[in-house]
Amino acid sequence: MSQTQPDSPGYGLRRGILSPMEILAQSVSTIAPTTTPAATIPLVCALAGNGTWLAYVLATTAILLVALCVGKYACFSASPGSLYSYASMTLPQPLAATAAWSLLLAYIATGASVIGGFYHYAVLLFRDATGHSLSTVFLALLVTVISAWIAWRDVKISARLMLWIEATSVSVILIVVALVLFRHGWHLDGQQLHLHGMTGSGLRLGLVLALFSFVGFESATTLGSEARDPLRTIPRAVIQSALLAGAIFTVCAYSEVLGLRTVGQDLGTSQAPMRILAQVGGIPILGLIIDIGVLVSMFAGTLACITAAARVLLLMSHRGLTHSALRKTHQRHETPALAIFVTGAAAVLPVAILAARGASGLDVYGWMGSLATYGFIVAYALVCMALPRYLKSQNSFRPGAQIIPWLASAAMLLALIGNLYPVPEGPYGKLPYIYIAYLAIGMSWFFLRVRNRQPSVT
């Protein structure tokens, strides 16, 4: 397979300024790996119990299949549109537009999710330190404004900041995990190994939540115009982020269930699992450091989601899916200034409303994260289904090349069914209708303005 440099336009973005590590940082920060051990793994454990580690093994396998498909596209094409660019190369325009609107919602809703997580941890830490509380609406607006300013100012600064934030936070978590395993001794936990008490339905529902831990792993593809040697660095970043996150999450899932059991607590009901693990490991202060790391990771996730969503919106504007004003970039900073403002506002608005109504940060994290999952799953499935046709257009199709895309598409379809059936209770049951209503509005715009037009690449 031969590789050539992309001949796509630069869209007004700064070309070739991001190193391979900075590209990897974009995907890792959108995943926000520090938040999963603290917030998501306990939710998975409440459903899958001793099968929590297995749920993450299966989720890693499914995401890796998708990563292999996305990596194939990224070997031939680089642009700021991420999965939308790939879908538009082969799928009919309505399906490509579906992928675009789904992906935009996914990044924005993920940003809203981590904004909720940010104000949850900020309130907890400030209350522990001073005994007083802070306005949750103010905290939501503060983290969004700072993130949007950094994304507007310089994408290189943004990428470097995200890299150091996540590297530091994950390192502390892995130290705690290593201490827990060392104190337990180097032997397997029989209850987890034999999946004691796990049910099939619990594993299925836990798997759906485990998949949310990975969403955004492909966001390095949104930096296609700004990466050095993008046809090599981006495919590697996509696959590396999936493997790296999967390994960390699986080890953390196993260690958290084990560590809390040793002190007679249930991970599925724990409100501060990492603090308890730090106590089990013998260094309680690390629990506080991890909580601070989670707070900062939520900030990095907000920054990464705004960065990615703005670039998807930029390309959608160039293709006629959104207003033409959104294609403009800042003359000096060469960043999509207006798109950054719009995506930042779209992420924080629902969070501010929910916070003003008294919703907890963890509730917002769960609600908006689940909404984002619908967008990601649909976009992933569409792109994977289109891969064989795309490979044929590039004269790179080989016997058996359909197997991985079929498996990846099937995994995403099963995940979507797992989200919809049985029908979730409470606010979670309304999320599918919110996604469908949003998609209907986006597709109405498509059919009104784009159906009979040729895409613009100015």
Side-chain angles (χ1 to χ4, degrees):
M1 179 183 66
S2 61
Q3 291 181 321
T4 58
Q5 290 299 318
D7 56 1
S8 58
Y11 300 102
L13 302 173
R14 194 176 302 173
R15 302 297 294 265
I17 63 166
L18 298 179
S19 69
M21 286 300 294
E22 291 164 341
I23 295 299
L24 178 62
Q26 171 64 32
S27 280
V28 171
S29 296
T30 308
I31 296 173
T34 309
T35 66
T36 288
T40 310
I41 289 178
L43 298 176
V44 176
C45 182
L47 297 167
N50 282 313
T52 301
W53 68 271
L54 180 58
Y56 274 97
V57 169
L58 296 175
T60 301
T61 303
I63 289 297
L64 183 58
L65 290 172
V66 177
L68 292 171
C69 294
V70 174
K72 277 292 185 182
Y73 282 103
C75 287
F76 294 99
S77 173
S79 81
S82 185
L83 303 187
Y84 166 48
S85 297
Y86 306 150
S88 65
M89 296 174 187
T90 50
L91 291 175
Q93 286 191 24
L95 289 180
T98 299
W101 286 108
S102 296
L103 191 64
L104 181 64
L105 173 69
Y107 285 135
I108 290 175
T110 301
S113 175
V114 291
I115 292 171
F118 177 89
Y119 82 65
H120 169 78
Y121 276 92
V123 167
L124 285 180
L125 290 168
F126 190 79
R127 185 178 298 154
D128 288 346
T130 67
H132 300 287
S133 187
L134 285 172
S135 166
T136 53
V137 175
F138 168 76
L139 290 170
L141 293 172
L142 178 66
V143 68
T144 305
V145 169
I146 295 174
S147 298
W149 180 82
I150 295 174
W152 166 79
R153 179 63 180 82
D154 191 335
V155 68
K156 192 173 183 66
I157 295 175
S158 168
R160 286 179 175 176
L161 181 61
M162 291 186 290
L163 177 63
W164 286 107
I165 287 173
E166 291 297 342
T168 302
S169 302
V170 171
S171 295
V172 177
I173 288 178
L174 292 179
I175 290 172
V176 170
V177 166
L179 290 171
V180 170
L181 294 176
F182 177 76
R183 292 215 163 192
H184 178 71
W186 300 106
H187 57 272
L188 294 175
D189 180 7
Q191 292 193 49
Q192 291 194 70
L193 182 63
H194 296 99
L195 306 175
H196 180 72
M198 187 198 76
T199 64
S201 61
L203 178 63
R204 176 176 59 82
L205 294 174
L207 173 59
V208 173
L209 278 174
L211 285 172
F212 173 63
S213 296
F214 293 86
V215 295
F217 76 95
E218 80 303 323
S219 67
T221 58
T222 63
L223 302 178
S225 293
E226 295 148 291
R228 300 174 197 159
D229 194 11
L231 302 184
R232 293 184 184 275
T233 58
I234 290 179
R236 292 174 183 171
V238 167
I239 295 173
Q240 287 169 353
S241 62
L243 287 172
L244 182 63
I248 293 173
F249 296 159
T250 303
V251 171
C252 286
Y254 173 84
S255 302
E256 287 184 52
V257 172
L258 172 63
L260 268 72
R261 183 186 297 128
T262 61
V263 292
Q265 295 200 30
D266 179 11
L267 175 61
T269 59
S270 176
Q271 296 298 311
M274 298 312 299
R275 288 194 182 187
I276 297 172
L277 279 186
Q279 293 174 358
V280 173
I283 310 180
I285 188 63
L286 290 182
L288 176 61
I289 293 174
I290 289 174
D291 282 349
I292 296 173
V294 172
L295 174 71
V296 180
S297 181
M298 294 288 189
F299 162 71
T302 305
L303 173 57
C305 289
I306 291 175
T307 298
R311 280 149 181 79
V312 173
L313 189 59
L314 172 75
L315 187 61
M316 289 174 66
S317 175
H318 278 275
R319 301 291 175 87
L321 289 180
T322 58
H323 196 279
S324 59
L326 293 169
R327 72 182 62 177
K328 295 180 181 178
T329 55
H330 193 274
Q331 185 175 1
R332 180 158 57 94
H333 301 314
E334 297 177 281
T335 54
L338 184 57
I340 288 172
F341 171 79
V342 170
T343 53
V348 75
L349 181 61
V351 181
I353 293 173
L354 290 170
R357 295 174 62 89
S360 74
L362 287 184
D363 281 339
V364 173
Y365 178 83
W367 296 336
M368 301 307 296
S370 296
L371 179 61
T373 303
Y374 290 108
F376 278 118
I377 287 175
V378 170
Y380 291 164
L382 288 172
V383 167
C384 291
M385 286 189 293
L387 179 59
R389 183 178 176 185
Y390 178 72
L391 291 177
K392 289 179 181 178
S393 71
Q394 298 294 320
N395 297 318
S396 189
F397 187 82
R398 300 289 184 271
Q402 292 181 334
I403 295 176
I404 289 180
W406 284 345
L407 290 174
S409 300
M412 293 301 101
L413 179 61
L414 291 174
L416 183 61
I417 294 173
N419 266 287
L420 298 174
Y421 182 82
V423 178
E425 298 180 356
Y428 288 92
K430 300 176 182 178
L431 297 179
Y433 302 103
I434 294 175
Y435 170 69
I436 291 172
Y438 161 85
L439 194 58
I441 294 172
M443 294 307 295
S444 296
W445 179 280
F446 166 78
F447 284 114
L448 286 173
R449 298 196 58 183
V450 183
R451 190 175 184 181
N452 297 318
R453 297 183 181 181
Q454 292 295 325
S456 170
V457 293
T458 60

